[in-house]
Amino acid sequence: MTESTLLLKEHHLKATPQRIKIISMIEEHGHITIEDLYKEMLEQFPSVSLATIYKNINQMAQSGLIREIKIPKAKSVFELIKEPHLHIVCDSCGKIEDIPVETENIIKEAEKLSGYKINESFVTLRGTCPECR
Amino acid sequence: MTESTLLLKEHHLKATPQRIKIISMIEEHGHITIEDLYKEMLEQFPSVSLATIYKNINQMAQSGLIREIKIPKAKSVFELIKEPHLHIVCDSCGKIEDIPVETENIIKEAEKLSGYKINESFVTLRGTCPECR
DNA sequence: GGCTTAAAAGAAAATTATTTTCTTTTAAAA
DNA sequence: TTTTAAAAGAAAATAATTTTCTTTTAAGCC
């Protein structure tokens, strides 16, 4: 049983070939847009429907397997849910990377200042990557 | 001359009544969606077009007067550009607040780890506000 | 391994969000 | 005031996402 199949089972989702493919594409790319998922899926499943992508992405997000990351001035990407990390986007080439930066301090301070109980944090930075400078 | 008019002049945008209204609505609400801008605008300008809202919002964002904030699992909101701050969204009532938390440390660390030159940071937290607990 | 069935896929249409085009109106500079 | 480039508004076009409905299939059961 593949890793994707296992992930699906764990989240009580039927392991269809389309879903397995979606998960492995997300794993492979790290982050991927709906549009790119669809394009790549078409190569292997020429009759796949965009609705299938949307429905599956929504279900997987619902069940906590993946997450949507909204990117400033760009399309959303989807990623597998794993250890906390932040995102950095290159203004020049559009590349998105994860960085394992600790955000505990900020969250603690925000809780103190706001009185909120914080459940999740989204940090996205934009700038220029080393290759583009 | 109103404050909104002044802001528009500073950004070399013609001070039309619709634009002045958009800016004062953003100021008044702090953060506001396109949909709410349109609804409220209709009360004062019954023949306003959604295209006018979109075109103006895009121009104002382009010229650095306002900024779009993409919110996890919700519609984007727009805000005037001012001192750096982060956003906190209540899962329960949907309210969005600014908090003046310092993010310099995180940015410095991310720059070190990634090699990027960082230009802007977006931090959004989700949780439960004091009123909703 | 062949049934059964609830869930998923696919196709098409519907809905929602955003942008473009084109004509009329208007802010602002002369 | 007059002039004019830019903006507003209306309508259509495009893009993004969801819904509906029929057919297909994964997976539990014998």
Side-chain angles (χ1 to χ4, degrees):
Chain A
M1 184 171 332
T2 78
E3 195 184 341
S4 303
T5 305
L6 204 60
L7 265 177
L8 285 166
K9 300 266 187 209
E10 281 169 14
H11 288 82
H12 309 99
L13 294 170
K14 259 165 96 169
T16 66
Q18 294 85 342
R19 281 179 179 163
I20 293 168
K21 176 69 176 175
I22 288 174
I23 293 178
S24 38
M25 284 187 289
I26 296 178
E27 252 173 351
E28 183 192 338
H29 289 88
H31 313 90
I32 189 168
T33 61
I34 293 275
E35 189 186 357
D36 289 347
L37 275 176
Y38 182 53
K39 279 191 200 150
E40 195 171 330
M41 180 83 100
L42 275 176
E43 295 168 14
Q44 190 168 336
F45 301 89
S47 72
V48 74
S49 158
L50 242 188
T52 296
I53 310 264
Y54 275 108
K55 282 183 286 194
N56 281 324
I57 283 292
N58 287 339
Q59 287 171 123
M60 291 180 196
Q62 188 68 43
S63 68
L65 208 168
I66 65 174
R67 167 168 44 216
E68 176 176 6
I69 302 296
K70 294 189 171 183
I71 306 291
K73 302 183 186 30
K75 293 189 179 162
S76 286
V77 295
F78 294 84
E79 66 177 18
L80 294 180
I81 290 180
K82 47 175 200 286
E83 328 75 64
H85 59 272
L86 55 79
H87 296 102
I88 188 162
V89 186
C90 177
D91 287 338
S92 170
C93 67
K95 177 172 54 193
I96 300 172
E97 294 183 50
D98 288 352
I99 325 182
V101 171
E102 192 49 76
T103 54
E104 261 315 303
N105 294 341
I106 280 195
I107 293 179
K108 282 276 148 47
E109 193 182 342
E111 283 192 322
K112 206 180 305 168
L113 279 169
S114 67
Y116 279 57
K117 172 71 188 61
I118 293 175
N119 298 320
E120 193 176 11
S121 67
F122 296 84
V123 180
T124 303
L125 311 178
R126 42 162 288 266
T128 313
C129 74
E131 292 71 35
C132 286
R133 288 203 269 165
Chain B
M1 184 169 332
T2 79
E3 194 184 341
S4 303
T5 305
L6 205 58
L7 266 177
L8 285 166
K9 301 265 188 208
E10 281 169 13
H11 289 82
H12 310 100
L13 295 169
K14 259 165 94 168
T16 66
Q18 293 85 342
R19 282 180 178 161
I20 292 169
K21 177 70 177 174
I22 287 174
I23 293 178
S24 37
M25 284 187 289
I26 296 178
E27 252 172 352
E28 183 191 337
H29 289 88
H31 312 92
I32 189 167
T33 62
I34 292 277
E35 189 185 356
D36 289 347
L37 275 176
Y38 182 52
K39 279 191 200 150
E40 194 171 331
M41 180 84 100
L42 275 176
E43 295 168 14
Q44 189 168 338
F45 301 88
S47 73
V48 75
S49 159
L50 243 187
T52 296
I53 311 265
Y54 276 107
K55 283 183 286 194
N56 281 324
I57 283 294
N58 288 340
Q59 287 171 122
M60 290 180 198
Q62 188 68 42
S63 67
L65 207 167
I66 66 174
R67 167 167 45 215
E68 176 176 6
I69 301 296
K70 293 187 171 184
I71 306 291
K73 302 182 186 31
K75 295 190 179 161
S76 288
V77 294
F78 294 84
E79 67 177 18
L80 294 181
I81 290 180
K82 47 177 199 286
E83 328 74 65
H85 59 273
L86 57 78
H87 296 102
I88 189 162
V89 186
C90 179
D91 288 337
S92 171
C93 66
K95 175 173 55 191
I96 301 171
E97 294 184 49
D98 289 351
I99 325 181
V101 170
E102 192 48 74
T103 55
E104 260 314 302
N105 295 341
I106 280 196
I107 292 179
K108 280 278 147 47
E109 192 181 345
E111 284 193 324
K112 207 180 304 169
L113 280 169
S114 67
Y116 278 58
K117 172 69 188 64
I118 294 176
N119 298 321
E120 195 176 12
S121 68
F122 295 85
V123 180
T124 303
L125 310 177
R126 40 160 288 265
T128 313
C129 75
E131 292 71 37
C132 286
R133 289 204 268 165

